Amino acid sequence: MAISITSVERERSRATLLSPVEFKLQTDEVSLDEAVKVSVRAKLEGGLVDAFRRATWQEAYAAHDILLRLQFGMSIRSGGQLFGKTIVSAKWVKKGILFWTRDANLTDNVTNMIWAMAADENGYNHFFEDEQGVRDFLFTFTRELSFLPVSLGRGEHRLHAEVFVKWWRHTYIERGQVAARSPSISLKVR
Amino acid sequence: MVLSQEYEEKKTVEYNVIKKTQSICPECNRILPATIFERDQKVYMTRTCPDHGETEELYYGDYQMYLKFSSYWDDGKGTMAPNVAIDNCQCPANCGLCSNHLSHTGLANIIVTNRCDLTCWYCFFYVKKGLEGAYVYEPDHEQIRNMAKALKAERPVPGNSIQITGGEPTLRDDLPEIVRILKEEGVDHIQLNTNGINIALKPELAKIYRDAGVSNLYMSFDGVTAKTNPKNHWEAPYAIDACRKADLGVVLVPTVIKSINDHELGGIIDYAKQNIDIVRAVNFQPVSLTGRMSKKEREKYRITIPDAIKRIEAQTNGEVTADDWFPVPSCSPITHFIESLTHKKQYELSIHFACGAGTYVYMSKGKLVPISQFVDIKGLVEYLDEKADDLNSGSNKYMTIAQAALRINSFVDKKKQPEGLNLGRLLFNALVRHDYSSIGQFQMKSLFLGMMHFQDKYNQDEERLQRCDIHYLTPDLRIIPFCSFNVIPEWYRDRVQKKYGMPVEEWEAKNGEKLEDRLYRGQLRKVRPGMKAEAPTCATAEIYQKVSNLG
């Protein structure tokens, strides 16, 4: 492809942030044999999110830089930040995949033929007709987990969620990792 | 692909839209916007020509498999040395390769003759005498050498693999010389596409071709009974035996047609299993429907990759299941990892996920054990992708190699791994040390099972065409994707053969023989009343019985 990569916009100096982590318990009181259901929501903002847009897809694709892998990690912990213990954790990957689309609504097949799809943690690709849809799917997540509170034992506990997101170097962003912690909330185990 | 919410809202009552692409009108070749959609757990494509109306065609016979396979989507590096420089992408026009093509040549076909010793009714590759405008096409040595040079000039990855095809290439008496020319031009892998009949008749040819530089035979083999494989049912065992003696590997190539031979796919694998010492692979090719056909006729014969895969599961009694298959581009993470390690562009199988699929099966205690039953393929390719990202992001190469050495073994389930096989070591040697010698030993006890669904005018998807890596070399030094060359012959194949060929009558006068002189007369076939046979005992020989018993 005869595409110049001299105009690649490197947004390396701008920081990527993880928005305040929302951590919710389905109920704040459970019995010892009852599963605790939690949900965690977070969102990437800034550098990477701003850099992964149509203006940079074309140049990245020309450099055969077509796969943005985002590794997400999350753990639910009890106790303080230093001496707490992990109750349950999860890791998953989402991908942004640049491809040459032949959808006439998205491309003129001359200058703007590159589009992005997003793969969920099962690897299934999701197709969007607008750029923002791709970004929302990739950079926002809500994750639900459940666990038995046996390891916590009876009593009142303070739980919080820790989240990290990791990505690698691309034409439009340097490699990086961000982490954030939710406020603590209490859970009573009967 | 899974539908996003916005797309979900647009779905009609009839079907669920998956995505948009482009196709052609099967009547007039007009390039049209097309929609790929799911209905009743199958995937279809539809488009509407303003002149000829709507064409709807089965695209993929299983929606779940479509979802699984589409997760391996990976656009290739393309070619930096296009022969047709254009800005506006207009597939399937202007092929050659153009600046917009996304895969380098994986396998290049050279047609050395369009004469054939058979006259199969469904075949469109051979010259038919008596038809107006019938041309014999046989490029000379200089043209063949130049075509090989054009292939080797591809960048960033020079082509390195050629299939000599026809017609029937063994009708050219100078075939060994042609092979030597290709070797002189630096082509490593040369495969000979043949019906095997001449090799069955003259077994010494196998050694001659092998010595000249042919790597393997790519032999038609449509079934295990005479009814399903009238082409070379009697001759194939003799050809295979000749190859065995010459140590020339064989790939069996069944064209799969629904309602004709789709009940014998398991039998074909079983036959390959019996000849695993010399048969390296079975490459099933779901039929490409040519000529004008009604929808009803197409539905009768149309079979897609998932349909064939499911039949194989049923017909091998679950030895090879549908879950054991992966799309061709699932190999891409291996390429990415090696590229990151070596900083050199590598050979890549970046075709569209719907074009091909495959699996390796290993022979153990008389049974076929698919590689996916003892290797976590998905986990391995994810891991290699991550390590490639690490390397590209500046991680220490030697540290990454050390990590890979420790980790790769964990993707192999040693309890389920067949005895005598150490796949972890083999993978490490191949991926990290680039030592491929042990892969040869692995291949001696394994079979590659492949699927390659070439397109036709009814299911042509330009998204697939743009990613095609099986190409044709032509004397005008173009490199034309298979599904342009054969799907729109009036733009490509016929034009090339007319331009560089000669009328049948002229060829006959020049060569002092008639086209029909070289037709196969069935010397090795079962004797029927009134039929002369040179080897009448062949039909009752043990080798024949082995084949016929499978049916």
Side-chain angles (χ1 to χ4, degrees), chain B residues 90-101:
Chain B
Q90 288 183 327
C91 303
N94 307 314
C95 287
L97 297 167
C98 86
S99 342
N100 302 306
H101 201 74

Side-chain angles (χ1 to χ4, degrees), chain A residues 1-2 61 63-64 66-69 71 93 95 97-106 108-111 113-114 117 119-130 133 166-170 174-175, chain B residues 1-4 6-7 10 18-22 64 67-68 70-77 79 87-91 99-100 102 336 345 348 378 382 385-386 389-390 392-395 462-463 466-467:
Chain A
M1 285 167 295
Y61 190 88
H64 201 235
I66 56 174
L67 177 64
L68 169 68
R69 296 176 75 256
Q71 193 177 77
V93 171
K95 294 174 191 169
I97 303 158
L98 303 184
F99 73 108
W100 187 308
T101 180
R102 302 194 73 91
D103 182 341
N105 296 326
L106 304 178
D108 56 11
N109 268 339
V110 180
T111 53
M113 64 293 251
I114 306 308
M117 56 186 140
D120 62 25
E121 58 188 281
N122 298 313
Y124 290 157
N125 293 329
H126 297 245
F127 189 73
F128 298 87
E129 273 197 324
D130 70 296
K166 181 182 173 184
W167 63 93
W168 285 262
R169 181 193 290 164
H170 294 279
E174 274 297 344
R175 83 189 293 177
Chain B
M1 288 180 198
V2 179
L3 304 176
S4 70
E6 294 126 86
Y7 250 47
K10 288 181 186 169
I18 298 174
K19 69 197 298 288
K20 304 282 178 63
T21 181
Q22 285 178 308
Q64 294 305 318
L67 287 177
K68 176 189 162 186
S70 72
S71 69
Y72 292 94
W73 187 302
D74 189 75
D75 281 2
K77 295 181 278 281
T79 171
D87 288 333
N88 191 353
C89 189
Q90 288 183 327
C91 303
S99 342
N100 302 306
L102 295 178
H336 297 163
K345 298 294 181 196
E348 182 176 37
K378 195 176 175 192
E382 286 286 338
D385 252 346
E386 185 180 328
D389 267 345
D390 277 347
N392 293 336
S393 300
S395 291
E462 305 313 332
E463 200 166 64
Q466 195 182 10
R467 289 158 177 80

Side-chain angles (χ1 to χ4, degrees), chain B residues 297-314:
Chain B
E297 273 181 301
R298 300 199 309 269
E299 282 170 357
K300 183 180 173 192
Y301 297 124
R302 172 73 72 201
I303 187 165
T304 66
I305 286 175
D307 308 317
I309 285 175
K310 285 193 217 168
R311 281 163 175 74
I312 286 173
E313 177 170 339

Side-chain angles (χ1 to χ4, degrees), chain A residues 27-100:
Chain A
T27 170
D28 53 10
E29 190 175 332
V30 290
S31 61
L32 203 57
D33 57 355
E34 195 181 345
V36 180
K37 290 181 182 164
V38 300
S39 83
V40 179
R41 188 176 190 281
K43 187 180 178 185
L44 277 177
E45 289 172 345
L48 174 60
V49 183
D50 296 341
F52 190 74
R53 62 173 194 265
R54 193 161 197 192
T56 60
W57 292 345
Q58 192 86 16
E59 286 89 348
Y61 190 88
H64 201 235
D65 176 14
I66 56 174
L67 177 64
L68 169 68
R69 296 176 75 256
L70 293 166
Q71 193 177 77
F72 292 83
M74 182 183 95
S75 56
I76 308 298
R77 291 170 62 84
S78 71
Q81 202 162 6
L82 285 177
F83 303 106
K85 65 173 178 181
T86 300
I87 309 298
V88 64
S89 65
K91 261 189 184 180
W92 67 98
V93 171
K94 279 189 190 177
K95 294 174 191 169
I97 303 158
L98 303 184
F99 73 108
W100 187 308

Side-chain angles (χ1 to χ4, degrees), chain B residues 135 137 476 493-502:
Chain B
Y135 290 82
Y137 166 80
D476 53 7
R493 190 182 69 220
D494 294 352
R495 273 193 197 175
V496 167
Q497 297 194 354
K498 183 176 180 185
K499 186 172 178 187
Y500 295 97
M502 63 179 76

Side-chain angles (χ1 to χ4, degrees), chain B residues 241-292:
Chain B
D241 207 38
C243 290
R244 179 176 285 117
K245 285 170 185 152
D247 193 24
L248 180 60
V250 179
V251 176
L252 300 179
V253 191
T255 299
V256 184
I257 309 174
K258 187 174 151 193
S259 74
I260 302 289
N261 66 346
D262 57 329
H263 58 291
E264 287 189 7
L265 310 189
I268 293 168
I269 291 174
D270 203 19
Y271 184 68
K273 197 163 115 179
Q274 288 180 33
N275 291 282
I276 200 163
D277 61 313
I278 198 66
V279 173
R280 305 275 181 260
V282 184
N283 202 15
F284 296 96
Q285 295 184 347
V287 67
S288 167
L289 300 173
T290 58
R292 189 173 289 174

